[in-house]
Amino acid sequence: MKEPSAWLSAIPLVTLIALLSVTISVFGSDSLAGPSQIALLCATAVCVCLGMGICKVKWSTIEHNIEVKVHETTISIYILLVIGMLSASWMISGIVPTLICYGIQVIHPAVFLASACVISAVVSVMTGSSWTTIATIGIALLGIGRALGFGDGWTAGAIISGAYFGDKISPLSDTTVLASSVSGTPLFKHIRYMMLTTTPTMLITLSIFCLAGLWMEGASDSDTTQYIGALERTFTITPWLLTVPVATAYLIYRKVPPLIVLFSSSMMAVVMMLIFQRDILMQISGSLFQSVIITLSQSTSIKTGIPILDDLVSTNGMTGMLNTIWLILSAMVFGGAMTACGMLKSFLHAVFRRMVRTRAGLVTATVLNGIAMNVMTGDQYISIILSANMFKEEYNRQGYEPRLLSRSCEDSATVVSVLIPWNTCGMTQSTVLGVATIAYLPYCFFCYLSPLMSIFQAVMGWKIKKSEIKAS
């Protein structure tokens, strides 16, 4: 195999960016329903042609790397399908409408955005999963935000900011464990060191949401009363429905695997559906059994009499996740081909090799590399692993502690993933919340302030020490 030059490695990336720009401009929000997948596969074809024709990479090598990347997403795909079941069952069973009705009465509009961020953060710390947090409490908070008159972008930004704060610092989070392990940093040492950048970033984020909540005009009392009345007329609203979220929280506390938790929660919601929402099920289909299957797997539309609520309570089940799964598979094919041909490493090494000579330059290069990896591979786990592996030797050579590397990886690769439309996280959260990535991106303050805070502290040199033993 011949190592590709940086210029050669850039060709598939430029092709991908150009094709995505065209498809997004032509198809708009529909670009994720096919055009973006075709763009990824076309860019993959360019990569394969260059790799096999110029770099003499064997097709078996490319195929093996693609298989490995796709295999890594298998559990995520199953989780996505179950999340589709969960979101539909929680809605039609009345769990989410109940949370919305109670939330509207409890949370004051002036502090709603900050409250949504804090609630999501607490749940995410306890669960260790931003995906689970957003698929459960996140959907309810989005409904409360709509009822209170907040735009979906602002509400989704608050939910995602809180969820990824928790995902980043929770010892139960797979990304937290991954970043500490690949960099050779003890887990809790990694978390404590991350708090130096994460805490001020979260305080700034909450300050912005507090000011925004005071500045914006929420819905009037008559509007919120109207929303509550419409939900109560459509669904049976009862505290008994809240036993499902409580039971789900208990399963999470017991550290039951996420796939089991989500599926069990869906089945509990089905039981509640059959007990409390039989009238709605009969509207979906004349048979209760058929209505349950349609709810979990297909689209449903419930009429409340208020268009904004009609959009909220409509569900897509597992079918709504298929475009996301298709996009994930296409992104993994592209990332596998680029990795097999050595183009990712070659391109990024050429771009960042001159930046790593200073402390600030080294951290900046790590942060930018994590962002670039998320853009090019479409996966935060790959981004963390490749970033840590690429820079570990340089951190060691300059004598910096491994915890600086692990923090720099998490400050970029973990939190920025949700801002990229074709990344697994960006696709998942936009699908689950029903809010386009480009719509919530400007309001995910925590996610793009984290990399900036990491770079800022590297420039200032605060709490950055060199190891006693420096590599020769």
Side-chain angles (χ1 to χ4, degrees), residues 240-263:
W240 285 106
L241 292 169
L242 301 182
T243 58
V244 175
V246 171
T248 303
Y250 177 75
L251 292 175
I252 293 170
Y253 170 75
R254 299 292 298 177
K255 298 182 181 179
V256 176
L259 193 58
I260 298 176
V261 171
L262 296 171
F263 183 80

Side-chain angles (χ1 to χ4, degrees), residues 60-80:
S60 59
T61 302
I62 298 174
E63 191 175 49
H64 174 70
N65 273 267
I66 291 174
E67 288 177 355
V68 170
K69 293 292 184 283
V70 170
H71 176 72
E72 290 171 351
T73 64
T74 303
I75 294 299
S76 297
I77 289 173
Y78 287 136
I79 288 176
L80 274 174

Side-chain angles (χ1 to χ4, degrees), residues 12-80:
L13 299 174
V14 173
T15 302
L16 176 61
I17 293 170
L19 290 174
L20 287 173
S21 299
V22 172
T23 55
I24 291 172
S25 64
V26 173
F27 294 95
S29 59
D30 293 331
S31 60
L32 297 182
S36 294
Q37 289 88 330
I38 294 174
L40 282 162
L41 294 178
C42 288
T44 302
V46 172
C47 173
V48 170
C49 290
L50 295 175
M52 295 180 67
I54 298 177
C55 301
K56 308 302 179 185
V57 182
K58 295 181 179 180
W59 168 248
S60 59
T61 302
I62 298 174
E63 191 175 49
H64 174 70
N65 273 267
I66 291 174
E67 288 177 355
V68 170
K69 293 292 184 283
V70 170
H71 176 72
E72 290 171 351
T73 64
T74 303
I75 294 299
S76 297
I77 289 173
Y78 287 136
I79 288 176
L80 274 174

